[in-house]
């Protein structure tokens, strides 16, 4: 099974070709945005983190920013920092350099002499990088080079019996062909974690699955909050999902039936192939961001009630098993698999349709979120501002 992709100097393959203008802190967001606006072919993220963070929280933000730069869809990166932030620009530059020899530059507003000088220099660097990027051509490679992120949002009663298991079939085929699939949203493992644990490749992976769920439950207890106030969400309940366990049983089916080979932290790049669990929150935008930072080149996103979100780093394919949702939100939904519920197609047949859509998007087809230019991003925060 083949896809067409761009080879990177580190041996990975991207399905998109982008130059990333990467702000290390919210204080440099606008400068980075202005640079990106001057040069077509670049993208810029909005980073609301990067300072006032300590400990594991600061480490997680650093790991996420580094992972977004390392994502195979990124040809090269221009880091734009302020200079006094917790996420130090030069340290980020040095750590990325250790892991990849992709094009990389760094600008520090305080050192460059202000916004105008930084924009001028950044625009020149970005233009040069985009010109070099334009010379890179796609080549045919095995689908084993693909890391597929899976996510669900705006779920309803149709999700767990149509779109999610159909995506699960697609996930199994990708794994069988040597590829990697990420399953996240740890909140939606609660009540189904014992099922996932039985599929772990060894005792270590099993214990890690149970631990990330246990740690999350203990955090809810420590904060004296009931997760059921937010999950299932009001929209989930309106769509027919009444309990978190019910939602979880449908949600985990996105990962198919393969054994689970590894559990990784939020925004951590897997070392194994096959089915991987990433410890992400249930909040869609933060979850997809974490998997993009973990190296996923593409996300398939199932939704029962509909959602428009995209991502600046990776294409996001929207799938629904609800015919009414598809008819209402055709401009947002890429694929309708409600024929499963109509009895016109099997889960396997719909799963093959999803697989063909994955291959088409890998080969350059734009998703509907891409056609709008949607670029939502959010880094999962686990600490207080200081």
């Amino acid at each position: 099974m083949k896809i067409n992709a761009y080879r990177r100097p580190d041996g990975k393959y991207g399905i998109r070709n982008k130059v990333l203008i990467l702000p290390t802190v919210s204080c440099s967001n606008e400068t980075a945005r202005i640079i990106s606006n001057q040069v077509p072919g670049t993208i810029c993220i909005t980073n609301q983190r990067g300072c006032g963070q300590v400990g594991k929280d600061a480490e997680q933000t650093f790991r996420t920013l580094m992972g977004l730069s390392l994502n195979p869809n990124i040809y090269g990166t221009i880091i734009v920092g302020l200079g006094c932030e917790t996420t130090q620009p030069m340290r980020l530059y040095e750590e990325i350099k250790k892991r990849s020899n992709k094009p990389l530059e760094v600008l520090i507003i305080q050192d460059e002499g202000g916004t105008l000088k930084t924009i001028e220099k950044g625009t020149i660097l970005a233009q040069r990088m985009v010109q070099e990027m334009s010379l890179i051509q796609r080549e045919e490679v095995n689908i084993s080079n693909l890391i597929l992120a899976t996510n669900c949002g705006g779920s309803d009663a149709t999700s767990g019996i149509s779109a999610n298991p159909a995506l699960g079939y697609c996930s199994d085929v990708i794994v069988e062909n040597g590829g990697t699939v990420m399953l996240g949203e740890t909140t939606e493992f609660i009540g189904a974690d014992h099922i996932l644990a039985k599929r772990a490749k060894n005792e270590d992976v099993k214990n890690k699955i149970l631990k990330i769920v246990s740690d999350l439950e203990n955090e809810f207890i420590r904060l004296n909050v009931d997760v059921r106030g937010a999950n299932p969400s009001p929209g989930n309940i309106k769509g027919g999902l009444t309990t978190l366990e019910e939602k979880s049983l449908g949600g985990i089916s996105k990962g198919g039936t393969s054994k689970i080979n590894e559990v990784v932290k939020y925004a951590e790049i897997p070392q194994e192939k096959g089915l991987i669990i990433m410890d992400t929150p249930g909040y869609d935008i933060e979850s997809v961001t974490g998997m993009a930072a973990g190296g996923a080149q593409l996300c398939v996103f199932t939704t029962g009630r509909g959602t428009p979100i995209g991502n600046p780093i990776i294409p996001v394919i929207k799938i629904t098993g609800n015919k009414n949702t598809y008819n209402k939100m055709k401009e947002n939904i890429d694929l309708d698999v409600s024929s499963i519920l109509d009895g016109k197609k099997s889960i396997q047949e719909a799963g093959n349709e999803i697989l063909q859509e994955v291959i088409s998007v890998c080969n350059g087809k734009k998703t509907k979120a891409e056609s709008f230019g949607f670029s939502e991003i959010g880094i999962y925060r686990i600490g207080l501002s200081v």
Side-chain angles (χ1 to χ4, degrees):
M1 195 172 293
K2 304 290 184 180
I3 57 174
N4 294 302
Y6 302 97
R7 181 178 173 83
R8 304 303 181 203
D10 56 11
K12 296 178 181 178
Y13 288 90
I15 63 168
R16 295 294 184 267
N17 214 18
K18 305 180 181 186
V19 168
L20 173 62
I21 314 298
L22 181 64
T24 56
V25 65
S26 57
C27 310
S28 60
N29 276 339
E30 289 303 293
T31 302
R33 178 185 62 80
I34 294 169
I35 293 169
S36 182
N37 285 346
Q38 309 307 307
V39 187
T42 67
I43 58 169
C44 181
I45 70 162
T46 299
N47 175 18
Q48 297 301 331
R49 309 287 183 246
C51 205
Q53 296 177 272
V54 294
K56 291 182 179 179
D57 187 40
E59 292 171 11
Q60 182 158 284
T61 293
F62 188 94
R63 182 172 66 249
T64 304
L65 294 175
M66 180 170 62
L68 294 176
S69 175
L70 292 171
N71 186 285
N73 289 350
I74 301 301
Y75 169 81
T77 302
I78 299 173
I79 298 168
V80 181
L82 177 59
C84 54
E85 61 268 38
T86 305
T87 304
Q88 279 289 289
M90 283 308 303
R91 177 174 170 245
L92 185 62
Y93 173 89
E94 290 162 1
E95 290 300 320
I96 293 171
K97 269 296 184 190
K98 287 179 184 177
R99 292 163 174 79
S100 177
N101 55 349
K102 295 195 296 185
L104 183 65
E105 302 284 352
V106 61
L107 298 171
I108 301 172
I109 296 169
Q110 292 169 347
D111 292 347
E112 296 297 336
T115 295
L116 290 177
K117 291 180 180 178
T118 306
I119 291 170
E120 181 181 13
K121 186 172 180 179
T123 301
I124 292 169
L125 290 171
Q127 285 177 327
R128 185 183 306 150
M129 206 175 280
V130 167
Q131 286 180 323
E132 294 167 352
M133 178 181 72
S134 68
L135 299 174
I136 308 299
Q137 301 295 314
R138 290 181 182 269
E139 57 185 85
E140 189 177 71
V141 299
N142 198 287
I143 202 169
S144 61
N145 291 284
L146 180 67
I147 300 179
L148 176 70
T150 65
N151 211 86
C152 56
S155 300
D156 71 0
T158 70
S159 298
I161 55 177
S162 59
N164 287 355
L167 173 54
Y169 177 83
C170 172
S171 296
D172 282 342
V173 174
I174 289 172
V175 168
E176 287 167 10
N177 281 271
T180 300
V181 173
M182 284 184 182
L183 178 66
E185 303 174 283
T186 305
T187 316
E188 294 165 25
F189 297 166
I190 296 173
D193 46 324
H194 61 294
I195 298 172
L196 293 173
K198 289 178 181 178
R199 290 166 50 194
K201 77 167 185 178
N202 56 36
E203 198 70 15
D204 180 58
V205 173
K206 173 185 173 181
N207 290 336
K208 285 179 178 177
I209 293 169
L210 296 174
K211 184 176 187 302
I212 62 173
V213 176
S214 175
D215 286 350
L216 183 61
E217 291 176 318
N218 289 335
E219 184 66 5
F220 291 138
I221 293 169
R222 186 185 73 82
L223 295 172
N224 195 30
V225 296
D226 188 342
V227 65
R228 291 170 295 183
N231 209 338
S233 69
N236 296 150
I237 295 169
K238 190 175 180 181
L241 293 173
T242 58
T243 68
L244 181 53
E245 291 85 356
E246 193 174 51
K247 187 176 181 183
S248 295
L249 288 169
I252 65 171
S253 66
K254 301 190 304 293
T257 60
S258 304
K259 68 178 179 181
I260 299 165
N261 290 334
E262 188 179 12
V263 177
V264 296
K265 294 184 289 188
Y266 181 86
E268 182 180 8
I269 298 172
Q271 300 303 304
E272 300 284 338
K273 295 180 79 68
L275 182 59
I276 307 296
I277 282 178
M278 178 178 282
D279 185 13
T280 76
Y283 179 38
D284 306 331
I285 294 169
E286 291 179 346
S287 180
V288 174
T289 298
M291 288 188 272
Q297 303 105 315
L298 173 65
C299 177
V300 175
F301 192 117
T302 62
T303 180
R305 295 180 57 81
T307 180
I309 73 162
N311 183 274
I313 309 293
I314 64 177
V316 180
I317 300 172
K318 296 303 169 18
I319 313 288
T320 189
N322 186 320
K323 175 62 74 175
N324 291 333
T325 296
Y326 181 73
N327 288 335
K328 286 180 181 177
M329 297 184 65
K330 284 183 180 179
E331 72 272 19
N332 297 116
I333 309 296
D334 296 281
L335 198 61
D336 172 22
V337 295
S338 62
S339 52
I340 296 172
L341 299 181
D342 294 338
K344 296 175 182 177
K345 285 184 181 175
S346 66
I347 287 173
Q348 180 177 339
E349 288 170 328
N352 278 319
E353 282 189 2
I354 296 173
L355 179 62
Q356 291 309 309
E357 186 73 7
V358 164
I359 292 171
S360 294
V361 171
C362 284
N363 292 342
K365 179 183 178 181
K366 282 188 177 292
T367 66
K368 291 185 177 178
E370 284 184 293
S371 70
F372 277 113
F374 290 161
S375 58
E376 291 85 355
I377 201 156
I379 299 174
Y380 179 32
R381 184 152 201 178
I382 55 174
L384 299 173
S385 294
V386 296

